[in-house]
Amino acid sequence: MAANALDFDKVKDFLGKHLTNISEASKVKFREIQKAVKHEFGQGLFMPKLSQLINSVRPDLAKPARKKAKRRRKAGKRGPGRPPGVKRGAGAFLVKVGRKLSLAKSKDRVQAIIDKMVAAGASLGRLKVFALSKVGVSTRVTIE
């Protein structure tokens, strides 16, 4: 392999000279060091190997290890046009005001919608509330 052709003792000496004027870990620029090593020795190093060599030469410049990635929650599968939290209208209420339709999960939400309409000065004449529940109906289609 090409990395084995480099003499790591010479690279360590070079890194020791190159890192003498750096005092903080935040000032270590790996790409610049990689370019300097490549210019000096004709080839660069694999970044983790370079980091390991820098750590062996100057342990005080070691950067903290990366934190473990946080697990993300998978997004719930929702059908088109269905608001989150309402599962296919089971036990929900359909509130119709004129042509506008909205779903409410509980009676309190229905009351909140009505209160909001009253506060806005809207007419309750076109208000209709329907209770939704699961219907156990199955259909069969036969193709001849």
Side-chain angles (χ1 to χ4, degrees), residues 8-117:
F8 290 122
D9 293 330
K10 290 181 181 178
V11 175
K12 280 186 183 181
D13 293 338
F14 176 76
L15 288 176
K17 293 174 189 172
H18 191 74
L19 297 173
T20 53
N21 55 357
I22 298 176
S23 59
E24 297 178 24
S26 62
K27 303 292 182 192
V28 176
K29 305 294 182 202
F30 281 94
R31 289 184 187 259
E32 292 176 10
I33 296 171
Q34 178 77 286
K35 286 179 185 177
V37 169
K38 192 171 187 178
H39 181 47
E40 183 73 23
F41 297 101
Q43 66 183 33
L45 290 169
F46 187 50
M47 279 293 188
K49 185 64 178 176
L50 179 66
S51 176
Q52 183 182 6
L53 286 174
I54 290 173
N55 192 14
S56 67
V57 172
R58 294 276 306 271
D60 58 317
L61 296 179
K63 292 193 177 189
R66 291 181 64 176
K67 294 179 183 175
K68 190 175 180 182
K70 292 183 180 178
R71 289 191 60 152
R72 295 182 186 172
R73 296 175 72 185
K74 291 184 179 177
K77 293 185 179 179
R78 293 184 293 157
R82 196 167 2 134
V86 177
K87 295 183 180 176
R88 297 188 187 178
F93 297 93
L94 179 68
V95 180
K96 181 179 178 186
V97 181
R99 291 184 177 185
K100 183 180 176 188
L101 295 173
S102 58
L103 281 175
K105 286 195 283 187
S106 65
K107 291 180 182 178
D108 294 334
R109 297 280 185 173
V110 173
Q111 187 62 46
I113 291 172
I114 293 171
D115 292 342
K116 194 181 289 184
M117 287 177 56

